[in-house]
Amino acid sequence: MTAIDELVKLLKKLPGMGEKSATRLAYHLIATDSNFNKALGESISKLQEKIHPCPICGCYTEGEKCPYCDDENRDKTILCVVEQAQDTLSIAQSGVYNGLFHVLGGAINPINGIGPGSLRLKELKERIENGNFREVIIATNPTEEGDTTALFIRQLLSPFENLTLTRLASGIPIGGDLGYVDKLTLARSMRERIKL
């Protein structure tokens, strides 16, 4: 296996990267300035040393707390529950949400061995018990797994009588992924969320 073949093989493991894209990127890196490639390699190798999940919400951060949990101007009475850390960025960039986040770390998917115990659901319940939340927005992806997870969360939080549970409304396509939804569609879904 040549060095190019090995690089293409590694690049294909990245999300959304097929054979053609990986090959195009590999050849681009070969033609690029070697200083850039060294800096890119160093940056990638240090990612997991520098970045870790926020102990409160699960978003990625370099500090003790993530920027959302550390921001005193955010509404501490609303909690938006998402599957992955990158989903927080999509929602925050929509410009219509200013509350806190909770990252589950995935969605319930028994076929792939992901049950409720694999997700940050215990931490979610503890945050509700110890916080002063009036609403929890369930922003899991509109997939079978996301819907199953939303129903599980509804059941988990049902004992909290003064808590309103909502789910993102129409606008996000079925089978879609929050990371790929445009800002206008996401903003509409956030504004028109529905009660579960």
Side-chain angles (χ1 to χ4, degrees):
M1 179 178 285
T2 68
I4 292 175
D5 293 337
E6 188 175 331
L7 179 58
V8 169
K9 182 180 175 184
L10 287 171
L11 290 171
K12 281 177 22 184
K13 293 183 178 186
L14 296 172
M17 188 71 67
E19 181 83 31
K20 286 184 180 181
S21 296
T23 302
R24 190 178 320 114
L25 184 55
Y27 277 92
H28 174 77
L29 291 172
I30 292 167
T32 301
D33 176 49
S34 64
N35 290 329
F36 171 80
N37 287 337
K38 286 177 186 172
L40 177 64
E42 286 178 25
S43 181
I44 291 171
S45 69
K46 293 178 183 174
L47 272 178
Q48 292 175 325
E49 292 172 22
K50 292 183 174 184
I51 298 172
H52 57 88
C54 173
I56 299 169
C57 71
C59 290
Y60 292 127
T61 184
E62 289 186 50
E64 285 183 40
K65 295 191 288 187
C66 75
Y68 305 118
C69 292
D70 205 28
D71 185 351
E72 291 299 321
N73 295 319
R74 296 194 80 82
D75 186 342
K76 308 254 188 290
T77 66
I78 303 175
L79 186 65
C80 183
V81 179
V82 297
E83 291 180 21
Q84 303 294 342
Q86 61 265 31
D87 297 334
T88 63
L89 185 60
S90 299
I91 291 172
Q93 287 179 341
S94 73
V96 297
Y97 181 71
N98 192 39
L100 298 176
F101 289 101
H102 186 85
V103 178
L104 295 172
I108 296 172
N109 187 340
I111 293 172
N112 291 331
I114 302 171
S118 304
L119 305 177
R120 298 183 67 250
L121 292 163
K122 179 181 157 210
E123 292 87 343
L124 173 63
K125 189 173 181 184
E126 288 172 0
R127 283 185 79 184
I128 300 302
E129 289 171 344
N130 299 322
N132 191 26
F133 297 104
R134 61 178 168 80
E135 180 182 4
V136 172
I137 303 166
I138 302 172
T140 53
N141 290 318
T143 60
E144 214 173 297
E145 295 83 7
D147 290 342
T148 300
T149 305
L151 291 172
F152 189 88
I153 292 169
R154 182 178 71 179
Q155 183 68 30
L156 179 73
L157 302 181
S158 63
F160 300 95
E161 294 175 6
N162 295 327
L163 188 65
T164 301
L165 296 178
T166 57
R167 179 116 164 90
L168 292 185
S170 64
I172 298 177
I174 300 299
D177 188 311
L178 287 176
Y180 299 103
V181 175
D182 65 280
K183 291 179 188 178
L184 292 176
T185 301
L186 190 55
R188 178 177 172 215
S189 296
M190 186 60 80
R191 278 193 300 273
E192 296 177 12
R193 60 188 182 268
I194 56 174
K195 189 172 182 178
L196 288 178

